[in-house]
Amino acid sequence: MNTWIDDFKNFRTAVYQQDVANMKTYFNFPVVADTTQIWETIYESVEESKRPQTNPATFTEADFEKHYKQLFNIAFLQSLLKVKSEQLYQTGEYTTPSIKKGDQSFYMLARYDKATASLQLSVMFSGWKDENGDEMSEGESAVIYFFKVADNKYLKFDKILFAG
């Protein structure tokens, strides 16, 4: 591993190949759940009435093995695969082309912040379309994955935040 972009490429490959053992290396388990919004991500696509009343205080290795497909869902994976790593490394930022699924589209904004040694992978969802087919900004949202970068080489999951 020479730089963080090498670890980013390894992470992307692990997510694409659903290599659970390798994906787990990007986490320090157990993850303290109340500050990471990790359970909210897991249950985001689950109907409200079918979600648990309370979530555990931690997110364990066993939880990851059970829920990694919800954590790194299809929108995350498809947009992650479109990140041009060399451009991200050279400029510190890359925005993927938009991907259309049904009546919504999404893209990823990948941003490396050298000052804080962190990588943000934001899955940005467009607004829903109105009756005329025009996008409505009220429906715009994002799921932002934060990774800390240690020694300018290694990515470690930090938290997830929702916006919009």
Side-chain angles (χ1 to χ4, degrees):
M1 201 73 50
N2 292 323
T3 66
W4 63 269
I5 201 67
D6 297 322
D7 207 24
F8 169 78
K9 291 175 188 176
N10 290 339
F11 170 73
R12 180 172 53 193
T13 299
V15 173
Y16 173 69
Q17 295 177 346
Q18 296 186 11
D19 181 347
V20 175
N22 197 352
M23 283 189 282
K24 288 191 300 188
T25 66
Y26 293 91
F27 289 79
N28 288 324
F29 293 109
V31 174
V32 177
D34 67 339
T35 59
T36 63
Q37 296 190 353
I38 201 163
W39 285 112
E40 289 86 345
T41 306
I42 300 302
Y43 294 118
E44 180 182 27
S45 63
V46 175
E47 189 178 308
E48 191 74 37
S49 65
K50 295 183 180 177
R51 295 179 187 183
Q53 292 290 328
T54 59
N55 292 319
T58 59
F59 185 79
T60 66
E61 196 168 338
D63 293 325
F64 181 85
E65 290 169 359
K66 183 176 179 182
H67 298 291
Y68 72 91
K69 287 183 181 180
Q70 290 82 25
L71 184 61
F72 300 126
N73 61 29
I74 195 73
F76 180 87
L77 172 62
Q78 288 182 341
S79 57
L80 179 69
L81 292 174
K82 298 209 177 276
V83 173
K84 296 201 181 298
S85 54
E86 288 310 312
Q87 188 172 340
L88 172 60
Y89 184 66
Q90 294 297 323
T91 65
E93 188 172 302
Y94 184 78
T95 302
T96 68
S98 186
I99 299 166
K100 188 160 179 50
K101 286 280 187 193
D103 63 351
Q104 195 175 39
S105 59
F106 57 89
Y107 63 93
M108 181 173 281
L109 170 58
R111 183 177 290 147
Y112 175 70
D113 185 337
K114 191 173 186 175
T116 61
S118 63
L119 176 67
Q120 292 179 24
L121 301 174
S122 304
V123 183
M124 316 289 281
F125 294 91
S126 69
W128 299 98
K129 296 191 185 246
D130 64 16
E131 62 276 356
N132 299 322
D134 298 321
E135 288 193 7
M136 302 183 325
S137 63
E138 297 84 28
E140 293 177 341
S141 63
V143 181
I144 309 164
Y145 295 73
F146 291 84
F147 292 83
K148 291 183 179 178
V149 179
D151 301 326
N152 199 35
K153 293 182 182 182
Y154 306 105
L155 303 180
K156 281 293 180 186
F157 173 81
D158 183 30
K159 63 186 170 193
I160 298 173
L161 295 177
F162 290 85

